[in-house]
Amino acid sequence: VMLRLLRLVRLVVALPEFQVLGESFVRMVPAATKLLKALFCCVFFFSAVGMALFQEKINADPDRPELAALKKTDYYDSGYMTLNFNDVESSFVTLFCVLVVNNWFEIVDGFAAVTHRDLARLFFVAFYGVGVLLFLNIVVAFILDAFLGEYTKARAERTLKRRLSWGLF
C-alpha cells in the first residue's frame, strides 16, 4: 500500500499542473502568515468580546432559566450546545463555524434566545462583516492571486520552451 502511495506521489510531482500548485503554495506561505496572523487577532478579539457577553449563558444545567428558552430553538435541536463562549477554545470553535458560514443563523438564534436579542444579532453580524466579508475574502483573493501569478509564469515558460523547440526564435 505504501509503495502505491509513493508511486502516486511521484506521479503527482511529475505533472506540471501540480508543480504550479506546489510552487505557488511555497511562495505564498511567508506572505500569508501575516494575513493569517491578522485573521487570528480578529478572531481572538471577537472571542474575548463574546466571552464577556455570553459566557455561561449556554450550558446544559437544568437549573438555569436560559435552558428553557434555548430548548425552543433550532440551535438546541441541532445539537450545537458545544458551540458557546464558555472558554477560549469553545469561543474559537464557535467563531470558526460562523467564519465558514456553517448554519450561522442557527448559532445566532441560540444566543439571541438566552441574551438580549439585538445584542447577540449585532455581535454576530459584526463578526460576519469583519471576519467573513473582509478578512476571509482577502485571504481567498490572496490565494487566487498567488496561484494565478504562478500559473501565468509557468505557462509563459512552457510557451517559450515550445517555441524554442520549434525553432521560432
Side-chain angles (χ1 to χ4, degrees):
V1 175
M2 290 301 290
L3 292 175
R4 288 183 183 172
L5 184 63
L6 289 174
R7 196 179 308 158
L8 178 66
V9 168
R10 193 178 77 204
L11 178 66
V12 166
V13 170
L15 293 173
E17 292 81 10
F18 285 106
Q19 288 175 354
V20 170
L21 278 175
E23 288 174 11
S24 62
F25 179 76
V26 167
R27 291 186 183 189
M28 179 183 62
V29 168
T33 55
K34 295 175 186 172
L35 190 58
L36 292 176
K37 286 177 187 176
L39 180 62
F40 175 81
C41 289
C42 171
V43 172
F44 185 79
F45 171 77
F46 276 95
S47 173
V49 172
M51 285 176 51
L53 295 174
F54 309 119
Q55 192 167 29
E56 297 300 325
K57 294 291 185 181
I58 293 187
N59 59 32
D61 185 7
D63 297 332
R64 305 242 342 172
E66 291 95 357
L67 189 61
L70 196 60
K71 285 185 176 181
K72 299 175 186 173
T73 64
D74 290 334
Y75 177 89
Y76 184 82
D77 294 336
S78 299
Y80 288 159
M81 291 289 288
T82 55
L83 298 177
N84 55 52
F85 288 93
N86 295 342
D87 54 26
V88 176
E89 295 85 7
S90 299
S91 301
F92 269 73
V93 173
T94 303
L95 292 175
F96 180 78
C97 288
V98 175
L99 191 66
V100 295
V101 194
N102 179 25
N103 292 337
W104 77 285
F105 52 91
E106 290 183 9
I107 297 170
V108 174
D109 187 38
F111 283 95
V114 297
T115 60
H116 190 270
R117 185 172 301 277
D118 293 335
L119 181 65
R121 294 184 194 283
L122 179 67
F123 173 80
F124 283 103
V125 167
F127 179 72
Y128 182 83
V130 173
V132 176
L133 297 180
L134 182 68
F135 275 104
L136 205 57
N137 279 328
I138 291 172
V139 168
V140 169
F142 183 78
I143 291 169
L144 286 175
D145 183 53
F147 171 73
L148 288 176
E150 199 64 38
Y151 178 76
T152 304
K153 180 180 150 192
R155 189 170 179 184
E157 287 175 1
R158 276 188 268 146
T159 304
L160 182 62
K161 285 180 183 177
R162 194 176 316 127
R163 287 183 179 174
L164 287 174
S165 66
W166 291 345
L168 295 176
F169 286 114

